[in-house]
Amino acid sequence: MVRLSQRETVMIGGSTAEQELADLEPWPNPAPAIAADERRARLAQAQGLMTTEAMLIGAGASLRYFAGVGWNATERLVAMVLPKSGAPAMICPRFEEGSLNAALGIEASPRLWEEHESPYALTASVLAELGASTLAIDPALAFFMFDGLRQAAPEVAMETAAPVVDGCRMIKSPAELALMSQAKAMTLEVHRRAARILTAGVTTTQVRRFIDQAHRALGADDGSSFCAVQFGAASAYPHGLPGDQVLADGDLVLIDTGCRVQGYNSDITRTYVFGTATQEQARVWAVEKQAQAAAFAAVKPGVACEEIDAAARRVLAAEGFSADYDLPGLPHRTGHGIGLSIHEAPYLVRGDKTPLAPGMCFSNEPMIVIPGRFGVRLEDHFHVTEDGAAWFTQPQESLEKPFE
């Protein structure tokens, strides 16, 4: 039992990693996969948004979104060419044809290249067959691939496909919300169990290893998609410090982790104290809680994304912290969009004037950093509704009660 106040205590520690892992099973009632009809609707929406005669989407999150192919980008071009009207073509190495057919979630004509051939010349020929003189390029495509394309098709005018990609991906469907809800519920359960294995002397590496194993046991795609465990002064660095830290009495514990379910991400942070909280830790935690709540309350359809960031900073300024990005205060944006990418447009940050709309999903994490001492970040995610916002996971109730 760890002392946190004279009135309330919470069980932190008291269990072993082996005990917690043995109790985990694959997630019951998993969310359904994205259906073929939904992918066809995504392609039609993209074609409606396109101002060019074709669009090219490379391997990565957007290819998974439109075509169901969950491959990471490599040095070999794998891409979908989507014309303004008609069916898409898939550019792919011939030796990957079987794997592509197994992964593909849409109807598309395969256009295959051998290892000694140029995929850019092949793509140029596809564009010529389509009569496409304008092409929108996946904003995540590697520069060397873009460069290869423009050299192979110098007559084709190229521009970014970001308005099309973001225009489709930023509004989540009910099926996407269900997959994200599952991922976030899984991660919150892992957080609860991680707190129970904390003991004096445990290392951040040991905790990260447990979190990854727990995500795998629950059925996440590939264990933890990321995991940051920070003790004591290391929590003052938003993304932590290199090397191991060893937990000691009185340390503030900040754990930020997530997983993927069918490609859709979770990303949750909890901050609490191993031992007795100081008055300073308790005060900063309370301000952080207030700032997170203010950001959530400011969410309404039509409100600019930057206003959510401003709402959190007004709370910090009223409590004596910087109203800007200086320290002590909030050094980064209040939140980011999330979906098939852990960070995706739009963003809750000054200068992003994108109006909020139902179906958009964001993190809410207005971290407070006290340089050289500690940091407090509470991170949960919400989706925009017709009249406000709805949490995916309930925020941390109190410093004394990290989990409900």
Side-chain angles (χ1 to χ4, degrees):
M1 185 75 71
V2 178
R3 303 181 311 279
L4 289 176
S5 76
Q6 293 181 343
R7 293 178 301 166
E8 294 180 284
T9 56
V10 61
M11 285 298 296
I12 296 178
S15 184
T16 68
E18 291 75 14
Q19 289 170 334
E20 294 296 335
L21 291 172
D23 192 38
L24 290 175
E25 297 178 350
W27 199 253
N29 304 314
I34 301 298
D37 285 348
E38 182 163 333
R39 294 203 193 281
R40 284 192 286 268
R42 293 172 179 181
L43 294 175
Q45 182 186 11
Q47 289 173 319
L49 292 172
M50 287 165 55
T51 58
T52 56
E53 294 164 310
M55 178 175 70
L56 183 138
I57 299 296
S62 290
L63 190 63
R64 182 165 195 163
Y65 180 83
F66 288 113
V69 180
W71 296 0
N72 293 325
T74 70
E75 78 283 5
R76 295 183 175 96
L77 180 66
V78 175
M80 176 186 74
V81 176
L82 180 67
K84 176 67 174 172
S85 63
M90 292 297 303
I91 310 296
C92 182
R94 183 175 296 278
F95 76 89
E96 295 279 27
E97 182 179 11
S99 298
L100 177 68
N101 290 337
L104 201 59
I106 59 171
E107 295 179 2
S109 60
R111 301 303 298 267
L112 307 174
W113 55 278
E114 301 287 5
E115 282 280 74
H116 66 285
E117 297 175 334
S118 167
Y120 311 116
L122 174 59
T123 304
S125 70
V126 171
L127 294 174
E129 291 170 14
L130 294 171
S133 61
T134 56
L135 178 67
I137 299 285
D138 186 344
L141 193 75
F143 177 79
F144 77 88
M145 292 184 175
F146 165 72
D147 191 48
L149 284 169
R150 68 179 178 178
Q151 290 188 47
E155 72 285 355
V156 176
M158 300 183 186
E159 61 184 61
T160 179
V164 178
V165 171
D166 294 344
C168 292
R169 287 180 53 187
M170 70 172 59
I171 305 296
K172 272 63 180 183
S173 69
E176 290 178 288
L177 295 178
L179 289 165
M180 293 171 69
S181 293
Q182 179 185 334
K184 295 172 199 302
M186 289 164 61
T187 290
L188 188 56
E189 180 61 24
V190 170
H191 263 291
R192 291 189 187 98
R193 292 173 182 269
R196 294 204 289 258
I197 71 161
L198 295 182
T199 58
V202 72
T203 67
T204 50
T205 294
Q206 289 172 317
V207 178
R208 285 196 302 270
R209 184 179 299 117
F210 168 80
I211 289 172
D212 180 70
Q213 292 172 326
H215 273 134
R216 290 178 187 277
L218 288 174
D221 288 357
D222 292 297
S224 299
S225 56
F226 73 99
C227 185
V229 179
Q230 297 154 238
F231 297 154
S235 65
Y237 299 82
H239 290 153
L241 291 172
D244 240 359
Q245 298 128 42
V246 179
L247 187 62
D249 187 65
D251 277 350
L252 188 142
V253 176
L254 190 157
I255 299 178
D256 183 356
T257 188
C259 70
R260 286 185 292 265
V261 172
Q262 296 186 44
Y264 286 87
N265 283 275
S266 62
D267 179 9
I268 298 174
T269 307
R270 289 290 179 264
T271 302
Y272 42 92
V273 177
F274 183 75
T276 303
T278 66
Q279 288 186 340
E280 182 185 25
Q281 289 169 335
R283 185 185 85 83
V284 173
W285 192 97
V287 176
E288 167 74 358
K289 171 76 170 176
Q290 186 182 352
Q292 188 192 42
F296 181 82
V299 175
K300 296 287 187 298
V303 171
C305 283
E306 66 177 0
E307 173 54 28
I308 311 308
D309 182 77
R313 293 183 192 279
R314 285 193 289 270
V315 170
L316 301 186
E319 295 294 333
F321 296 100
S322 172
D324 208 336
Y325 293 82
D326 304 314
L327 300 180
L330 169 55
H332 56 64
R333 62 197 174 209
T334 292
H336 54 81
I338 189 168
L340 284 170
S341 298
I342 196 163
H343 294 172
E344 61 183 45
Y347 296 91
L348 306 180
V349 67
R350 184 183 304 164
D352 193 329
K353 301 184 185 301
T354 306
L356 297 175
M360 288 182 176
C361 300
F362 297 94
S363 72
N364 182 350
E365 48 178 319
M367 181 180 191
I368 300 176
V369 172
I370 312 298
R373 297 184 58 77
F374 63 89
V376 175
R377 181 165 67 247
L378 303 177
E379 180 184 10
D380 295 273
H381 291 235
F382 65 85
H383 59 94
V384 182
T385 66
E386 295 293 340
D387 56 2
W391 291 113
F392 282 102
T393 51
Q394 286 301 307
Q396 186 171 334
E397 180 180 334
S398 66
L399 181 60
E400 296 81 8
K401 293 183 178 179
F403 310 102
E404 69 277 9

